Amino acid sequence: MKLGISSCLNHSSATEWADKMVALGLECVNFPINCDAGAEKISAYKKAADDAGLLIAEVGIWKNTLDADLSERKKWIDYSVGQLQMADDIGAICAVNVVGTPYGPRWDGGYKENFSDECWQMAIKMIQQIIDTAKPKNAKFSIESMPWMIPSSPDEYVKMINDVNREEFGAHLDVVNMITSPQRYFYNSDFLKECFEKLKGKICSCHLKDVVLKPEFTFQLEETACGKGILDIELFAELATKENQNMPMIIEHLTTDQEYIESVKYVQKRLGL
């Protein structure tokens, strides 16, 4: 595995960005700019990563490619194509998004219709359209697993991979996002094994965080920083490394640079990196 963070930290140049990542002992990065930044800036950040020996793990999309407004939907699908093409050009492992939703005001929100056959078919066609238009040679397009939209389980992800039927589609594994029941929470080691067994050979990147059960009724889970929950991080890292020696594991969803720095140090110490 290669450890990285979703934050680009405060920096004033591509070189400073890469130097800060190396100074933290990180081996992979999320690309910090998008396809609209211009060729010169994109090239500068790619060169900085390459010169520092940093694997470019992910290019983020994070737009609603199933927007109910068809003009907005087209805009974000076109943007996704641009991000995937850039990912391919810079040697990134994947470009990643969530499926999105046309069913409510929050673009990544939970709605009953997210699990409808209509939504499933729209998602499959959208993924195929992005891949077929971008035509990546090496980078994968991937959808992050989510708690309240597809794919919310390894079985759903396997079905999605089969239905998309494109070699350029890879699985993005966020295990915490799929821990949505007492069984998956208390037996998260078994759930980790299930994920890696069912998605074997398809996983291109992982997100690393933790989860804790809140004491209030009813059943409430809270995402938290690594070490403040119950996730079997050692097993997660072991399975990820077995899947791919260079598997990106990206720490995410912290607020400040200092929180990221502290989390990196904690994970490195806990895993003996």
Side-chain angles (χ1 to χ4, degrees), residues 138-210:
N138 296 298
K140 302 286 188 181
F141 181 69
S142 58
I143 294 293
E144 181 179 350
S145 44
M146 289 286 284
W148 47 66
M149 61 176 54
I150 53 174
S152 63
S153 71
D155 287 334
E156 280 184 355
Y157 220 137
V158 170
K159 185 179 187 315
M160 179 173 280
I161 290 168
N162 290 336
D163 286 2
V164 168
N165 192 28
R166 299 291 188 276
E167 287 296 321
E168 301 87 353
F169 185 53
H172 187 283
L173 184 59
D174 190 317
V175 172
V176 166
N177 281 2
M178 291 194 291
I179 294 178
T180 54
S181 69
Q183 290 77 14
R184 290 182 185 177
Y185 177 81
F186 290 116
Y187 298 94
N188 69 86
S189 296
D190 292 338
F191 184 60
L192 279 162
K193 292 174 186 176
E194 179 188 353
C195 289
F196 279 93
E197 287 170 3
K198 291 181 175 178
L199 295 169
K200 182 176 176 59
K202 301 296 184 181
I203 303 168
C204 53
S205 191
C206 301
H207 279 169
L208 182 59
K209 51 199 182 189
D210 214 332

Side-chain angles (χ1 to χ4, degrees), residues 19 28 37-38 54 59 70-71 73 83 88-89 92 118 138 148 167 180 195 203 209 212-213 220 248 254-255 263:
D19 287 346
C28 69
L54 293 164
V59 167
L70 294 184
S71 63
R73 184 184 300 186
Q83 289 292 85
D88 204 45
D89 290 341
E118 176 188 58
N138 296 298
W148 47 66
E167 287 296 321
T180 54
C195 289
I203 303 168
K209 51 199 182 189
V212 66
L213 177 63
Q220 298 180 52
L254 302 176
T255 304
S263 187

Side-chain angles (χ1 to χ4, degrees), residues 223-243:
E223 178 187 315
T224 188
C226 295
K228 296 184 178 180
I230 52 80
L231 188 69
D232 190 341
I233 293 172
E234 289 82 3
L235 179 61
F236 194 4
E238 177 188 335
L239 293 170
T241 302
K242 185 177 180 181
E243 171 77 6

